[in-house]
Amino acid sequence: KQEVTQIPAALSVPEGENLVLNCSFTDSAIYNLQWFRQDPGKGLTSLLLIQSSQREQTSGRLNASLDKSSGRSTLYIAASQPGDSATYLCAVNTGTASKLTFGTGTRLQVTL
Amino acid sequence: EAQVTQNPRYLITVTGKKLTVTCSQNMNHEYMSWYRQDPGLGLRQIYYSMNVEVTDKGDVPEGYKVSRKEKRNFPLILESPSPNQTSLYFCASSPWGMDGNQPQHFGDGTRLSIL
């Protein structure tokens, strides 16, 4: 059974700092890995999707990497801003009916 | 605008009173799914549908029903709600494909409280 872990559970950084969020999964047989952002009272916003054949994806200040063999992914946020404050969720798609298995998230706070 | 729409957004009800949470998408996606989110447990899949009239159980289907009569709609039905179904519910959709390049789109969530 696939299990997804995100460390740390919470993180507070000053504005402007670069930061890394970690995601690990137990079964390397995945189709893709998706990073989401969740704001309080809102749904999930897809940030990046990395296919199993890819090593990384970039969107603006965000860069996500994938190391399938070691069961790890990282989300790198450059030059953090207060607007980046949210919970970040990692989810892996094992291809079994496209089910996403989620981690419990990292709650990020970027302070002024 | 491409979106997944859930209704209601909030509902407080009592044990045993049947309720339906609607989900509609305007992207012509084949695949739709329901998740519940609970503190410390993350999001867990309840049911999914790969196309019209095709549905199957996820990880936590007990106490729930779904139907997929039309491509755009995927309602979640709680026939006899109980307090342990108090949760935040999300509907998601994506194009169906096994090539690993299909991000899932989520609705804004429905917060259910069963008293």
Side-chain angles (χ1 to χ4, degrees):
Chain A
K1 179 187 173 187
Q2 179 74 266
E3 293 182 3
V4 180
T5 303
Q6 292 186 247
I7 295 173
L11 181 63
S12 181
V13 300
E15 182 180 14
E17 198 162 290
N18 302 325
L19 60 100
V20 174
L21 307 181
N22 296 294
C23 171
S24 61
F25 47 95
T26 55
D27 184 350
S28 62
I30 66 172
Y31 271 79
N32 61 54
L33 183 145
Q34 206 167 347
W35 281 94
F36 293 90
R37 169 186 173 135
Q38 184 176 21
D39 294 283
K42 293 284 190 179
L44 279 67
T45 301
S46 179
L47 298 174
L48 289 164
L49 180 144
I50 312 178
Q51 298 179 57
S52 62
S53 58
Q54 297 175 324
R55 297 283 294 183
E56 65 179 293
Q57 280 285 337
T58 298
S59 176
R61 295 182 292 110
L62 304 180
N63 176 277
S65 69
L66 174 64
D67 184 343
K68 239 180 51 163
S69 61
S70 67
R72 293 182 181 179
S73 176
T74 61
L75 179 66
Y76 174 82
I77 303 177
S80 58
Q81 304 170 358
D84 294 330
S85 299
T87 296
Y88 290 81
L89 297 167
C90 160
V92 298
N93 183 342
T94 55
T96 304
S98 277
K99 184 180 80 170
L100 293 178
T101 301
F102 283 84
T104 51
T106 294
R107 190 171 67 253
L108 172 66
Q109 183 175 13
V110 181
T111 58
L112 292 170
Chain B
E1 180 189 351
Q3 58 186 6
V4 178
T5 303
Q6 296 179 225
N7 281 297
R9 292 289 316 281
Y10 305 91
L11 179 63
I12 300 174
T13 188
V14 296
T15 299
K17 185 177 181 182
K18 180 179 178 180
L19 66 92
T20 299
V21 184
T22 64
C23 174
S24 180
Q25 50 92 6
N26 62 2
M27 296 168 279
N28 202 36
H29 287 167
E30 292 83 10
Y31 180 86
M32 298 186 74
S33 180
W34 277 102
Y35 295 85
R36 60 178 288 174
Q37 185 178 31
D38 301 289
L41 297 176
L43 280 92
R44 295 174 293 167
Q45 191 183 54
I46 303 171
Y47 268 95
Y48 65 93
S49 169
M50 290 188 278
N51 215 323
V52 175
E53 302 292 359
V54 181
T55 64
D56 210 343
K57 298 176 181 178
D59 292 327
V60 288
E62 296 78 19
Y64 304 94
K65 284 176 56 177
V66 293
S67 68
R68 188 90 182 274
K69 294 185 171 59
E70 305 165 285
K71 199 171 188 180
R72 64 182 292 127
N73 295 323
F74 190 45
L76 180 69
I77 303 157
L78 285 71
E79 293 269 4
S80 183
S82 62
N84 65 11
Q85 293 176 297
T86 293
S87 188
L88 179 59
Y89 291 85
F90 288 101
C91 180
S93 75
S94 72
W96 174 246
M98 299 296 279
D99 63 358
N101 193 27
Q102 311 296 343
Q104 292 195 21
H105 303 265
F106 282 73
D108 283 343
T110 295
R111 187 168 291 281
L112 284 183
S113 293
I114 316 291
L115 305 177

